[in-house]
Structures are given as structure tokens and as C-alpha cells.
Amino acid sequence: MHGNPMPDSYVYVTEEGVTRHYADGSVEALAWEDVVEVRVVTEAGEDVLYILLDRGGEGCVVPRSATDATFLARLRYLPDFDLDRLTLAADSTRDGVVVVWRSPDPPSALPDLEYD
């Protein structure tokens, strides 16, 4: 067998939003206008995850390995988004979840989520 193994997911970033297609056929998608929070999840030996959430706590999980300059550039359009804060959280050697951005008009509470 030749070539690279099939990735477990694909991430597409557009002007409208971000979509992640999983190998099993499931899809997560979120429009940029619906994003109210951005979290960074770090765990030793695992890919860093960017979690984009909407008001209902639904969202899209984006592995750092699947991002490019387009994703990072689009995050900068979120009001007062701090790219340095995102980078600092993603480069952390500590395991955990860090909220790196929250909408100026966030919902009253977003749920704590479990990540695989």
C-alpha cells in the first residue's frame, strides 16, 4: 500500500464559518456569527484542540494540526480577539482547558464539555 493514511477528519474554513468532517461521516459546523467562545484544550502527547462554541454550547472542535493561516486570520475578526493569548494557551505544557476569547455579549453560562 502506498501513500499516507487517511486522516480522521478534514477542516474547512470559509468566510461563513468552520466545518469539520470526520472519517465516520459525521460533521460539526459553526457559523462565525454564532461563535460566542473559543477554548484551547491541551493534553500531553495529544494534538491541541481549538473549541468554538455557540450560545447553546454546541460547536466545532478544530485540531491545531488541521489549521492554517486562514483559520487564524479568520479568528482575528472576532471582536477584540487576542491571537497572542491563543498562541500562549496552545503552546502551554500544562494539561487543561483555557477560555481564550468570549463574546462581548456572551450567554449566561456555557456547559463544561468533555473532550475525547
Side-chain angles (χ1 to χ4, degrees):
M1 186 155 78
H2 298 283
N4 295 326
M6 186 71 143
D8 69 340
S9 66
Y10 294 94
V11 175
Y12 297 100
V13 177
T14 66
E15 292 283 325
E16 291 77 34
V18 61
T19 304
R20 183 175 180 189
H21 296 266
Y22 290 86
D24 68 2
S26 61
V27 176
E28 293 175 343
L30 189 59
W32 290 115
E33 66 187 28
D34 295 334
V35 176
V36 297
E37 188 170 286
V38 178
R39 299 177 183 180
V40 174
V41 179
T42 54
E43 188 175 327
E46 299 293 327
D47 197 1
V48 172
L49 301 176
Y50 301 124
I51 314 296
L52 309 177
L53 296 170
D54 68 10
R55 291 187 180 282
E58 297 294 318
C60 188
V61 177
V62 180
R64 178 165 60 177
S65 62
T67 65
D68 60 13
T70 303
F71 177 75
L72 297 176
R74 186 57 191 88
L75 285 175
R76 295 177 70 181
Y77 284 101
L78 297 172
D80 298 319
F81 190 85
D82 185 344
L83 200 52
D84 291 334
R85 181 175 166 94
L86 176 84
T87 302
L88 187 64
D91 291 343
S92 174
T93 57
R94 302 173 91 186
D95 292 354
V97 179
V98 176
V99 175
V100 295
W101 179 82
R102 193 170 275 146
S103 170
D105 183 28
S108 56
L110 286 171
D112 290 329
L113 303 173
E114 295 294 321
Y115 306 101
D116 298 338

